[in-house]
Amino acid sequence: MTSTSSRPDPGLHDLFARFSACGATQTGGVHRLCGSAADGLARDLFAATVAETGGTLRTDAVGNQFGLFSLAGRSDAPRVMLGSHLDSQPQGGRFDGTLGVATALRVGAALVGAKARGRAYDADLCVVNWTNEEGARFRPGLLGSGTYAGHHRAEDALASQDDAGVTLERALAAIGHRGTDTAPPLPACYLELHVEQGSVLTGGGATIGIVMRNWGATKIDAVFTGAQAHTGPCPMPLRRDALLAAAYAIAEVRAIADRWPGQVHTSVGRIRVEPNSANVVPSRVEISVEIRSGADPILAEAGALADGALKAAAGRARTNLSVLGRVERPVRALPGAVADLLALAAEETGYRAMPMDTVAGHDALSLLGACPTGLVFVPSIGGIAHDVAEETSDADMQAGLAVMLRSADRLCRAGGSPERAIREAAR
Amino acid sequence: MTSTSSRPDPGLHDLFARFSACGATQTGGVHRLCGSAADGLARDLFAATVAETGGTLRTDAVGNQFGLFSLAGRSDAPRVMLGSHLDSQPQGGRFDGTLGVATALRVGAALVGAKARGRAYDADLCVVNWTNEEGARFRPGLLGSGTYAGHHRAEDALASQDDAGVTLERALAAIGHRGTDTAPPLPACYLELHVEQGSVLTGGGATIGIVMRNWGATKIDAVFTGAQAHTGPCPMPLRRDALLAAAYAIAEVRAIADRWPGQVHTSVGRIRVEPNSANVVPSRVEISVEIRSGADPILAEAGALADGALKAAAGRARTNLSVLGRVERPVRALPGAVADLLALAAEETGYRAMPMDTVAGHDALSLLGACPTGLVFVPSIGGIAHDVAEETSDADMQAGLAVMLRSADRLCRAGGSPERAIREAAR
C-alpha cells in the first residue's frame, strides 16, 4: 500500500546509541542538561544527521533546531513536523525525548528515500529538537516549544537563569547553538513520539499509547524569606527559619495528594537554600511545587489548598512568602482526527494501541491549539522515568518508529491534513 | 600598676577595618569561607601583621597560623596563646572570630612595646588564627583547633570535602596556606575574645561576658535515600521521596525544642538535594541537624528524640536513612582560675562583667581540658549573629581589648599561670 517499509530499521538503534553516548553516565543513563557541553554534542549529532540525510538545518534564536526535508518539490508546500527534545534531567534516562528525536530523524531518512524511489508527497517534513523541555536547568520547562508556539517571548526565554546565574542565552552561545535563523512557520500537523514514563500501557497489554488528553498541572515557584541567625544562641521564638517554612509546606503539599487518591499527584522536587550552612538559620528558601490532576475542578481545589498551605507554612515559621512564578496548564483534549490517524497507523502496522492520558508535560502540549497535534507513547519498562534505569525494549522502539513512519507518510501525501489522510486511507 | 595602657587603641580599628575588607560584601558583611581567595587575603594580612610586629609565623599542616612573640627572652619559656578564627559564614558578619584575632594581634603589639620599654615577662605570647572554625564550607567546625588539641588527625581534617568535592588540603594549597611547620606545643593558658552573638550581656547591663560553661551540642549529618522518579506519572504510593522525608524530619526536629522552651535549641541549617530538579522525585537528601542544651540529661533525651524523628521520617516517606556523622559535645565548665583572672582584669579596667554560658561553639572549647582556657564575650548589637548585620560598638571593641591586654600582660608576667597571676595581682 505504501512504499515505506515497516521492517525493523537498524539505523534507529545505531542513531539512538550515538545520542546515548552524549553525556552518558557510568550508570547507563545520560546527564545532558540544556545548554551543557553534552547537550552541545547531541545537537552537533542532530545537525550532522540532518545534513547526511539531505535536509537543511535552521536554528532559531532560542536554540530550537529544525531539520527541513523537501518532499513536495514546491516552495509553498505545507509542512508536517515531528520531533521532541534532546536535553535530559540530571542523571536522567536515555529515552526521554531522545527516542522521539531519533525516531523523527529516521522517519525523515525513510521519506527522503521513498521520494527518491518516486513516491509523491504533497507536504514537506520538518524534524525538530526543542530547547529545554525538561525545565531542569532553566525554568520553565517546554521553553523552546513554548516560545515557538508564542507562549513566551524569545528574549524572556533567553534571559532565564540557571541556579548559578548563567542565562540560557549565554549557555547556548557557549556551545555554539544560539541560532539566528527564522523558525519555520507553524506546521499543518505536529506529531511526537515519547516514552510513556508510566505503566498504563503494560497494564493494558498495548504497545502504542495514543494520547487523548493531558492532565492539568499547576506549578508554583515560591520563596520563603526569614532572617539569617546563629543556630546556637538565637532564642527559638525569635527565629525566622525559611527552611522550616519550606519543610511545613513540603509536608502539606504531599498531604493534598492524599485527599484525592490516584486523582492528584503533588511534588516538591527542587529546593534552593541560602546560606545553607549547618550553623546558620536559613534566610531564603525557594521551592518548586507541582500539582497535577486529570480533572480541572479538582486541580483548582488542590491548587487553592497549596496556596493556603504555602501561606500557613510561612506564617507558622514567621517568614514572608512570595510567589516567583505560577504556571497553570488546564486539562485539554488532543484533536480527534490526529488520534484517528495514529490509531489507523497502529492497526495497519499490526500493533495494539490504546487511548490514554498524559500526566507529564510534553512539547506536543505547547503546540496544542496552535496546530493539529498528536502524541504517541511506547512502553517504559517498569514505568521508570527521570532516572538512569529508564528503559524501552528494542521491539517497542521499532513499533513506535513504524507507527510514526506510517502516520507521517500518510500526512505528507495528504498535504499535512489528518482529515484528508484518513479519507485517502479509506479509498 | 602595669605599664601597658588601657587608653583606646586606634590601631585595633585600623587593623579590623583591613580584615573586614577581605571578602567584604556590598551589604556590609563578609563572605570569607575557609580556604577561599578572601580567606587567603585575610591570612596574608595576619602573616604581614605578625611580621610587622616583630613576631615569627608558623603555619601547621592544617593551615593554623601561629604568630610567636618572644617576651621572656629564654628558649624554654612557657607560652600564653590568644586568638580565634578569620573564616566566616556565607554572607556572614565582620566581627565573628575576626575581632578576637585582631584583638590578639593588638595585644601582641602592646606587649612587644612594653617589653621594649623594659617591662619584664616570664612567658612568651602566641597569637593564633584557627582554620575552619565555622564548619560552613568544611565539616566539622572547630577543625583547626580540634586538630591542634588532638581531637582529629591532620590527614582526616585535610581530607574533609566541601559540597563540590574540593578537599581542605586542596583549598589551602590553592591559596598558599597549607603549611609544613610544626605547631607550637600546648600553651600554659589559652584566652579567646569573641562577640557574644546573643543578647544576654545587653539584658544584664554588662560589657564583658566571662564564660563559665558551654551548652552541650549534638550534631547529626543524616542522609535519606529514596528513588528518582518522574513527578508526573509515577503513582504517589510508589514514590520514595527523600525530600519529603527530610521535610518531616525538619518539622519534627523543631518540635523537639518546643518540649523544653528556652532549654533546648534545635535547627536544620543545611540541606543537599539530588538531583534537585522540579520534575524529579528527589533520590538523596542530606541534612545537618543540631541540638543544643545547657543540661546534659535534657540533651541526651532530645538527641534520642531526634534519632527517633529521623527514623520515623524515613519510614513515612519510604526512604532509607543513614547517619554520616554524629558529634556530641557535653556541657563543661571552664576553669575557675582563668575566669577569676578575667573578672579581675575587667574590674581593674573599669568594665562591668557578668558570668555566662556560651551556647555557640568556639575554638576555646577545643582546647578546654587540654590547657587552662578562658573565653570572653563583648556585646553583639541586637544579638544579631551569622548575618551581615552583625555589629559590635567601637567602645565595646576597646573594652574587650583592654580586658584581654590586662589579662595577657598579667599571665605573661606570671609564666602563663592564672593562679600565679592572681596571687601576684593581690600583692
Side-chain angles (χ1 to χ4, degrees):
Chain A
M1 189 241 49
T2 75
S3 77
T4 55
S5 159
S6 59
R7 281 174 301 178
D9 172 12
L12 175 62
H13 297 285
D14 292 348
L15 182 59
F16 184 74
R18 291 174 70 196
F19 277 121
S20 300
C22 305
T25 67
Q26 293 186 325
T27 48
V30 291
H31 185 82
R32 200 162 64 216
L33 301 186
C34 174
S36 65
D39 187 31
L41 292 176
R43 288 167 169 273
D44 292 344
L45 177 56
F46 180 91
T49 307
V50 167
E52 282 162 19
T53 321
T56 309
L57 187 77
R58 284 196 206 164
T59 304
D60 73 8
V62 299
N64 292 320
Q65 294 181 294
F66 302 93
L68 306 173
F69 296 92
S70 180
L71 300 174
R74 56 192 171 90
S75 65
D76 64 342
R79 255 188 215 99
V80 174
M81 189 182 281
L82 268 70
S84 191
H85 62 93
L86 292 173
D87 68 323
S88 88
Q89 288 289 340
Q91 302 291 324
R94 289 172 292 149
F95 295 84
D96 182 347
T98 306
L99 182 61
V101 175
T103 298
L105 286 167
R106 293 309 300 165
V107 167
L111 296 191
V112 167
K115 187 202 168 202
R117 292 189 301 274
R119 191 163 174 83
Y121 289 107
D122 195 22
D124 290 340
L125 184 76
C126 176
V127 175
V128 62
N129 165 37
W130 301 112
T131 292
N132 194 55
E133 190 268 354
E134 294 291 0
R137 179 171 176 192
F138 300 100
R139 271 161 306 282
L142 311 181
L143 198 53
S145 56
T147 303
Y148 175 77
H151 307 313
H152 312 292
R153 297 188 312 165
E155 52 266 44
D156 293 338
L158 289 169
S160 173
Q161 292 185 3
D162 68 9
D163 282 349
V166 177
T167 61
L168 175 61
E169 181 168 16
R170 218 176 100 197
L172 288 171
I175 57 169
H177 285 277
R178 158 115 163 76
T180 54
D181 299 327
T182 303
L186 280 168
C189 188
Y190 174 80
L191 299 184
E192 181 168 353
L193 173 89
H194 206 280
V195 287
E196 181 198 351
Q197 309 183 301
S199 303
V200 173
L201 284 174
T202 304
T207 303
I208 299 294
I210 297 173
V211 175
M212 307 305 287
R213 34 164 246 161
N214 67 276
W215 274 34
T218 299
K219 303 194 177 194
I220 308 168
D221 278 347
V223 177
F224 299 100
T225 310
Q228 212 167 303
H230 196 303
T231 55
C234 185
M236 298 303 293
L238 297 185
R239 298 190 185 189
R240 302 179 57 224
D241 185 338
L243 181 56
L244 181 65
Y248 291 147
I250 292 166
E252 275 307 305
V253 164
R254 178 62 179 79
I256 292 169
D258 293 334
R259 295 174 59 133
W260 291 277
Q263 294 187 82
V264 172
H265 290 182
T266 67
S267 62
V268 177
R270 177 181 164 269
I271 187 166
R272 196 176 165 195
V273 177
E274 292 174 19
N276 209 27
S277 176
N279 300 324
V280 186
V281 175
S283 55
R284 184 180 186 281
V285 175
E286 193 176 320
I287 58 173
S288 295
V289 177
E290 286 185 4
I291 306 145
R292 304 181 194 240
S293 175
D296 278 333
I298 294 179
L299 183 63
E301 199 178 333
L305 284 175
D307 291 336
L310 290 170
K311 270 181 211 144
R316 210 174 145 196
R318 306 178 66 242
T319 62
N320 295 322
L321 169 71
S322 58
V323 174
L324 295 184
R326 188 188 170 98
V327 175
E328 295 192 356
R329 184 166 69 213
V331 177
R332 285 182 302 175
L334 277 75
V338 187
D340 289 346
L341 177 68
L342 294 169
L344 177 65
E347 193 187 323
E348 288 179 335
T349 49
Y351 294 105
R352 185 162 170 200
M354 64 183 284
M356 61 187 298
D357 290 350
T358 178
V359 180
H362 295 293
D363 291 308
L365 302 182
S366 290
L367 275 71
L368 183 57
C371 65
T373 298
L375 179 58
V376 173
F377 282 168
V378 287
S380 298
I381 296 173
I384 294 169
H386 282 186
D387 184 76
V388 291
E390 182 185 275
E391 187 85 41
T392 291
S393 74
D394 287 359
D396 289 344
M397 288 170 68
Q398 290 294 342
L401 173 57
V403 171
M404 291 298 281
L405 176 54
R406 182 65 61 113
S407 304
D409 179 75
R410 285 208 183 282
L411 277 170
C412 287
R413 283 173 67 83
S417 162
E419 293 83 359
R420 185 178 142 198
I422 291 169
R423 281 197 307 274
E424 291 180 358
R427 279 182 201 157
Chain B
M1 193 239 44
T2 76
S3 77
T4 55
S5 160
S6 61
R7 280 174 302 180
D9 171 14
L12 174 64
H13 297 285
D14 293 347
L15 182 60
F16 185 73
R18 291 174 70 198
F19 277 120
S20 299
C22 304
T25 68
Q26 293 185 325
T27 48
V30 290
H31 185 81
R32 198 164 63 218
L33 300 187
C34 174
S36 65
D39 186 31
L41 292 176
R43 287 167 171 273
D44 292 345
L45 177 55
F46 180 92
T49 307
V50 167
E52 282 163 18
T53 321
T56 310
L57 187 76
R58 285 197 207 164
T59 305
D60 73 8
V62 299
N64 292 320
Q65 295 181 294
F66 302 92
L68 305 173
F69 297 92
S70 181
L71 299 175
R74 55 191 170 90
S75 65
D76 63 341
R79 254 186 215 100
V80 173
M81 190 182 281
L82 266 70
S84 191
H85 61 94
L86 292 171
D87 68 320
S88 88
Q89 288 289 341
Q91 302 291 322
R94 290 171 293 148
F95 295 83
D96 184 346
T98 306
L99 182 59
V101 174
T103 299
L105 286 167
R106 292 311 298 166
V107 167
L111 296 192
V112 167
K115 187 201 167 198
R117 292 190 300 274
R119 191 162 173 84
Y121 289 107
D122 193 24
D124 290 340
L125 184 76
C126 175
V127 174
V128 60
N129 165 36
W130 302 112
T131 292
N132 194 55
E133 190 269 354
E134 294 291 1
R137 180 172 176 192
F138 300 99
R139 269 161 308 282
L142 312 183
L143 199 53
S145 55
T147 303
Y148 176 75
H151 307 315
H152 312 292
R153 296 188 313 165
E155 52 266 44
D156 293 340
L158 290 169
S160 174
Q161 293 186 3
D162 68 10
D163 282 350
V166 177
T167 61
L168 175 60
E169 180 168 17
R170 219 176 100 199
L172 288 171
I175 57 170
H177 286 278
R178 158 117 164 75
T180 53
D181 300 328
T182 304
L186 281 168
C189 187
Y190 174 81
L191 298 184
E192 181 168 352
L193 173 90
H194 205 280
V195 287
E196 180 197 352
Q197 309 184 301
S199 303
V200 173
L201 283 174
T202 306
T207 302
I208 298 294
I210 297 174
V211 175
M212 307 305 285
R213 32 163 246 160
N214 67 277
W215 274 35
T218 299
K219 304 196 176 192
I220 308 169
D221 279 347
V223 176
F224 300 100
T225 310
Q228 214 167 302
H230 196 304
T231 55
C234 185
M236 298 304 291
L238 298 186
R239 299 189 185 189
R240 303 179 58 223
D241 186 336
L243 182 55
L244 182 64
Y248 291 148
I250 292 166
E252 275 307 304
V253 164
R254 178 62 179 78
I256 291 169
D258 293 335
R259 295 173 59 132
W260 291 277
Q263 294 187 83
V264 172
H265 290 182
T266 67
S267 62
V268 177
R270 177 180 164 270
I271 188 167
R272 196 177 165 195
V273 178
E274 293 172 20
N276 210 25
S277 176
N279 301 324
V280 185
V281 176
S283 54
R284 185 181 185 282
V285 175
E286 191 177 321
I287 59 173
S288 295
V289 177
E290 286 185 4
I291 306 146
R292 303 180 196 240
S293 175
D296 278 331
I298 294 179
L299 182 63
E301 196 176 339
L305 284 174
D307 292 335
L310 291 169
K311 271 181 211 145
R316 209 174 147 196
R318 303 179 66 244
T319 62
N320 296 322
L321 169 70
S322 57
V323 173
L324 295 184
R326 188 188 171 98
V327 175
E328 296 191 354
R329 186 165 68 212
V331 177
R332 286 181 301 174
L334 276 75
V338 186
D340 289 346
L341 178 68
L342 294 169
L344 177 67
E347 194 186 323
E348 287 178 336
T349 50
Y351 294 106
R352 185 163 170 199
M354 65 184 281
M356 62 186 298
D357 289 349
T358 177
V359 180
H362 295 294
D363 291 308
L365 302 183
S366 291
L367 274 72
L368 183 56
C371 65
T373 299
L375 180 57
V376 173
F377 282 167
V378 288
S380 297
I381 296 173
I384 294 169
H386 284 186
D387 185 76
V388 292
E390 182 185 275
E391 188 87 40
T392 291
S393 74
D394 288 358
D396 289 343
M397 288 171 67
Q398 291 294 341
L401 173 57
V403 171
M404 291 297 280
L405 176 53
R406 182 64 62 116
S407 304
D409 179 75
R410 285 209 182 282
L411 276 170
C412 287
R413 283 174 66 83
S417 161
E419 292 84 358
R420 185 178 143 196
I422 292 170
R423 282 197 308 272
E424 291 179 357
R427 279 181 199 160

